[in-house]
Amino acid sequence: MRIGMTYDLRDDYLAAGMSEEETAEFDKIGTIEAIENAIRTAGHETVRIGNITSLVKRLASNESWDLVFNIAEGLHGFGREAQVPALLDAYQIPYVFSGPLVQAVTLHKGISKHVVRDSGLPTPAFAVVNCREEIAGIDLPYPLFAKPVAEGTGKGVTAASKITDSRMLQTTCENLLATFKQPVLVETFLPGREFTVGIVGNSSDARSLGVLEVVLLADSEPDVYSYHNKANFENLVEYHAVDDAEAQKAAEVALACYRALGCNDAGRVDLRSDGNGLPNFIEINSLAGLHPEISDLSILAGKHGVNYQQLISSILNAAIKRLGLK
């Protein structure tokens, strides 16, 4: 097949003057090269398309592809991850990963938690703060946890995200509202173990690749898998492949959430256990990072015996089967 590749290249945005944190979700050239090599090794031709602006130009010139491997994160709005899938839908071009509805729902952590909670699955009690006037109305027991409602890669998550009193709640929420220009998700802080679960497949065929426990080391920002800790994970974080009873429950909950949200082809679900050892849904990454060495999904797969080529091939094959392609 002739497979196009849509993505946001981090170097392009850095060159345009954006900061390291602003571009944290975008992909390094090494990620693009690794995915491209894996697709070619699987027997397909690849075409680098790039970001949505490049995609628009190429569609306008009547270019098409048998399939698009889409990892474009987008820049603006709650629909930023939905823009490329929506455009491809309009041109009836099939693509890998979830469609525009799912991408928009899963980017907005508040909406995704509504879906998960209403599906009867465990997630911490929460509220979404849209403006500073709403902060005083938060009626949840401390400690709490706050983060931007629609960011990834730990953006906006710092040591101040764990909140112990009303003054700290006011300050943290005001800072996040001002910095990220979007609502703030406030939820009950859970004291237990932190897991991330990789999933590949669709519907009843979806399966867990395994469970990774995130363990923060002594010099890390405590209690939170923050932007700083993620960016310096080599020295601040350990990742343990786990398969005990609590980890197995995490995989069960993650798979149920993945299906409830209607995700396609692959994703990664983050969970944290409550005081009783029950893993709760925190968020889902329907466009999980795919850098072969530093992305959580790739690390997770490797620690469970799935190499990078196998990971990309399994994602690609899941999409091909779902779409009925040959």
Side-chain angles (χ1 to χ4, degrees):
M1 284 193 296
R2 186 169 182 263
I3 298 180
M5 298 174 61
T6 46
Y7 50 85
D8 287 290
L9 187 61
R10 191 176 193 184
D11 287 345
D12 291 342
Y13 297 101
L14 289 171
M18 294 178 67
S19 70
E20 290 285 334
E21 185 171 0
E22 285 176 315
T23 62
E25 289 188 73
F26 300 147
D27 288 294
K28 298 180 179 180
I29 188 62
T31 303
I32 310 309
E33 292 171 345
I35 295 172
E36 184 174 53
N37 289 337
I39 294 173
R40 288 178 175 176
T41 299
H44 305 284
E45 176 189 353
T46 59
V47 180
R48 293 190 191 184
I49 300 168
N51 62 21
I52 190 168
T53 303
S54 299
L55 176 62
V56 167
K57 292 176 181 177
R58 297 177 81 149
L59 289 172
S61 65
N62 295 318
E63 189 172 355
S64 189
W65 309 271
D66 299 313
L67 180 68
V68 170
F69 197 100
N70 170 49
I71 55 170
E73 301 274 358
L75 273 174
H76 305 297
F78 295 141
R80 60 184 174 86
E81 292 182 348
Q83 292 165 353
V84 165
L87 195 53
L88 293 170
D89 277 347
Y91 280 80
Q92 296 185 294
I93 297 172
Y95 50 86
V96 179
F97 297 120
S98 299
L101 175 61
V102 172
Q103 297 293 8
V105 167
T106 56
L107 179 64
H108 193 295
K109 297 174 178 63
I111 300 299
S112 60
K113 282 170 66 69
H114 275 292
V115 173
V116 166
R117 186 180 65 184
D118 290 352
S119 298
L121 298 166
T123 192
F126 69 97
V128 175
V129 175
N130 295 284
C131 59
R132 67 187 307 273
E133 290 76 18
E134 294 181 358
I135 301 171
I138 298 295
D139 186 23
L140 295 169
Y142 295 99
L144 299 172
F145 188 85
K147 58 187 173 183
V149 81
E151 297 293 346
T153 321
K155 290 168 66 176
V157 177
T158 68
S161 292
K162 184 182 178 183
I163 296 167
T164 55
D165 57 46
S166 59
R167 180 177 296 181
M168 192 175 181
L169 176 65
Q170 187 77 28
T171 301
T172 300
C173 287
E174 286 183 355
N175 287 341
L176 290 173
L177 287 167
T179 301
F180 291 94
K181 306 294 191 279
Q182 62 182 265
V184 177
L185 177 72
V186 179
E187 62 187 341
T188 300
F189 177 83
L190 301 183
R193 297 162 69 188
E194 184 153 357
F195 302 105
T196 189
V197 180
I199 297 174
V200 170
N202 295 287
S203 251
S204 60
D205 288 338
R207 68 189 190 281
S208 167
L209 288 172
V211 182
L212 210 62
E213 183 172 4
V214 179
V215 179
L216 301 180
L217 301 180
D219 292 333
S220 66
E221 291 185 333
D223 296 328
V224 295
Y225 192 25
S226 64
Y227 175 77
H228 174 75
N229 289 341
K230 288 186 178 186
N232 300 280
F233 74 94
E234 298 97 333
N235 301 315
L236 302 179
V237 182
E238 285 184 354
Y239 301 101
H240 301 162
V242 287
D243 191 36
D244 56 84
E246 192 171 334
Q248 291 173 15
K249 183 62 177 179
E252 177 187 324
V253 172
L255 196 55
C257 293
Y258 179 91
R259 288 172 172 152
L261 288 160
C263 295
N264 286 337
D265 304 333
R268 204 191 78 244
V269 183
D270 297 336
L271 308 100
R272 194 171 178 116
S273 292
D274 62 20
N276 297 315
L278 174 65
N280 278 235
F281 171 87
I282 298 298
E283 62 183 79
I284 190 165
N285 298 270
S286 53
L287 280 181
L290 288 171
H291 188 286
E293 297 171 352
I294 64 174
S295 291
D296 287 0
L297 183 58
S298 304
I299 294 170
L300 182 154
K303 286 185 175 291
H304 284 277
V306 177
N307 66 37
Y308 190 75
Q309 179 63 49
Q310 292 170 325
L311 174 63
I312 298 301
S313 293
S314 64
I315 294 170
L316 197 57
N317 290 336
I320 289 170
K321 180 179 179 181
R322 169 177 59 85
L323 295 162
L325 303 176
K326 294 183 180 180

